[in-house]
Amino acid sequence: MSSDQSSPQVPGATVYVIDDDAALRAGLADLLESVSLNARVFASLQDFLAEPRGDGPACLILDVRMPGQSGTDFHQQMERLGVHLPVIFITGHGDIAMGVKAIKDGAVDFLTKPFRDQELLDAVQVALERDRQRLARAVSTSSLQDRWRSLTPGERDVVRLVVRGQLNKQIAAELDVKEITVKVRRAKSMKKMGAASLTDLVRMVDELAPPER
């Protein structure tokens, strides 16, 4: 690493570092904390997995070559392990093909040692922004699911048919209810879901997880 710090970061955000080089871990911790980031460093993948993680925005700086399991193999298993953090790879042994594959697999960046401090800080900024967006989507989805659960079974039935493009008369016939009942349920559903239009309602239903439909 060489010194060159200027990019704004996310105060209070956490950057996890996994590298078996103690000196590099210490250097990265100092660099990250110098720009008001919470650095948590680990010598192994096992140590990292054993440590509880917070709920705020975070990212992971991961060495490609680790004792036991490689960083790239771990990256491919993260989803299954419940680790949803953006990853920045660092390596002293990388090549172009390895870097291209890592980016295709979703990594934010692939930095070859020695890298400039600013390169890493810029990558961290991108990764933290990506994680902020992920967290915001999770909150939005949770709120949407709560609103869907607030509908009565009858209202959900109407919504399912409305978003398929059926008319009130057709929905009434299919559900064996009066057309006025469909209109009332439809209006209540729109209000509960916070949908200003049919387009909004369709988008919301599309965003719901399959079990909620």
Side-chain angles (χ1 to χ4, degrees), residues 2 6 24 58-59 64 106 122 142 177 187:
S2 62
S6 63
L24 182 63
C59 68
V64 170
D122 288 346
S142 177
V177 297

Side-chain angles (χ1 to χ4, degrees), residues 115-166:
F115 46 79
R116 293 186 304 110
D117 289 353
Q118 193 60 46
E119 284 184 282
L120 182 68
L121 293 177
D122 288 346
V124 165
Q125 186 176 21
V126 171
L128 292 175
E129 177 59 28
R130 183 182 293 186
D131 201 48
R132 276 206 307 271
Q133 293 175 4
R134 177 187 67 83
L135 293 172
R137 287 194 300 270
V139 169
S140 175
T141 299
S142 177
S143 173
L144 189 57
Q145 290 173 342
D146 287 343
R147 281 177 274 161
W148 175 258
R149 295 187 187 104
S150 75
L151 303 184
T152 66
E155 289 166 352
R156 292 181 195 174
D157 288 340
V158 168
V159 170
R160 290 186 183 101
L161 297 176
V162 166
V163 298
R164 291 178 191 169
Q166 294 192 28

Side-chain angles (χ1 to χ4, degrees), residues 162-179:
V162 166
V163 298
R164 291 178 191 169
Q166 294 192 28
L167 302 175
N168 289 341
K169 184 183 296 186
Q170 295 171 317
I171 296 172
E174 182 162 339
L175 298 180
D176 194 23
V177 297
K178 295 182 178 179
E179 190 172 348

Side-chain angles (χ1 to χ4, degrees), residues 74-93:
F74 177 71
H75 183 220
Q76 294 176 341
Q77 297 174 15
M78 283 174 56
E79 192 75 21
R80 179 176 60 80
L81 294 170
V83 181
H84 306 291
L85 300 175
V87 170
I88 300 163
F89 279 111
I90 56 175
T91 181
H93 309 280

Side-chain angles (χ1 to χ4, degrees), residues 48-112:
F48 167 72
L49 290 173
E51 188 80 6
R53 292 179 294 279
D55 297 325
C59 68
L60 174 61
I61 297 175
L62 180 60
D63 191 7
V64 170
R65 290 196 175 182
M66 298 290 296
Q69 184 182 34
S70 73
T72 51
D73 286 345
F74 177 71
H75 183 220
Q76 294 176 341
Q77 297 174 15
M78 283 174 56
E79 192 75 21
R80 179 176 60 80
L81 294 170
V83 181
H84 306 291
L85 300 175
V87 170
I88 300 163
F89 279 111
I90 56 175
T91 181
H93 309 280
D95 56 35
I96 293 176
M98 186 184 294
V100 169
K101 185 178 187 309
I103 299 300
K104 285 184 176 180
D105 287 342
V108 172
D109 211 336
F110 189 93
L111 303 178
T112 302

